[in-house]
Amino acid sequence: MSKRAVVVVDLQNEYLPTGKLPLVGLDKALDNAARVIGSARSRGDLLIHVRHEFPGTDAPFFTPGTDAVEIIPTVGPAGAEPVIVKNHPNSFRDTALQETLQEAGVEEVVVIGAMSHMCIAATSRAATDLGYRTVVVHDACATMDLEFDGQTVPAAQVHAANMAAIAFAHGEVVTTEGLLAR
């Protein structure tokens, strides 16, 4: 078995245009994520799907038991691929992710999904902190416009700033083509 795992983070219905947190560029990210997932399956890489839920029925979004928390079918799990439910941006926090990676002897973690500035940043940094070679496939990730100090920061800038920070000290940042060419 490969020593690589692809961690598919939070590609859930809540991020679609019909959800409460629609993302900019999600269609392109989903297309690329599907390509990364397909390649991982053909290579025999471990695929782990992560799904965010906020505890309680009064959650503002990612409400348990709703369609919003379901993984988008085009990038969803197949067969016995594990699905880990998390309640925090860091996919390792209070989940079985670390244990699952250790049991499989994983050395490299490839991260794709949403949102670039939240769960992708937190998960990739945690993976690096835990000693994994960490790769983020930036064009298989998406985010949204943010507001700060009365200014709107466009999603493209939010994404670029976060990918630059990850590449600076927390892992390798590549394109889908770059990953598939390996």
Side-chain angles (χ1 to χ4, degrees):
M1 176 178 256
S2 170
K3 298 293 183 188
R4 176 192 287 175
V6 174
V7 179
V8 184
V9 180
D10 299 349
L11 289 177
Q12 296 168 252
N13 291 333
E14 193 76 274
Y15 289 133
L16 293 172
T18 55
K20 293 179 183 174
L21 298 171
L23 299 184
V24 174
L26 183 61
D27 288 341
K28 179 182 174 195
L30 288 171
D31 289 345
N32 286 327
R35 293 176 63 211
V36 170
I37 291 166
S39 174
R41 287 180 179 140
S42 69
R43 289 175 38 99
D45 293 341
L46 175 62
L47 264 162
I48 301 172
H49 303 265
V50 178
R51 190 166 62 86
H52 194 98
E53 289 186 5
F54 278 112
T57 56
D58 61 343
F61 37 80
F62 292 117
T63 306
T66 66
D67 184 58
V69 298
E70 297 304 317
I71 295 172
I72 298 167
T74 58
V75 292
E81 293 169 358
V83 177
I84 293 175
V85 176
K86 68 178 179 64
N87 305 120
H88 305 281
N90 174 354
S91 297
F92 289 91
R93 182 177 170 189
D94 301 328
T95 72
L97 180 56
Q98 169 74 340
E99 179 183 335
T100 303
L101 295 172
Q102 286 177 326
E103 287 175 0
V106 169
E107 296 172 358
E108 180 178 73
V109 173
V110 175
V111 181
I112 62 175
M115 293 186 289
S116 304
H117 71 283
M118 288 292 295
C119 301
I120 299 306
T123 298
S124 62
R125 288 178 172 146
T128 299
D129 288 347
L130 290 167
Y132 295 102
R133 249 186 344 266
T134 305
V135 178
V136 176
V137 184
H138 80 86
D139 60 358
C141 298
T143 196
M144 61 174 46
D145 295 347
L146 294 178
E147 296 288 327
F148 178 73
D149 199 24
Q151 295 182 346
T152 298
V153 182
Q157 290 178 8
V158 172
H159 180 77
N162 279 277
M163 294 302 116
I166 292 166
F168 183 78
H170 297 285
E172 184 181 3
V173 177
V174 301
T175 63
T176 299
E177 292 303 325
L179 182 74
L180 298 181
R182 293 183 176 187

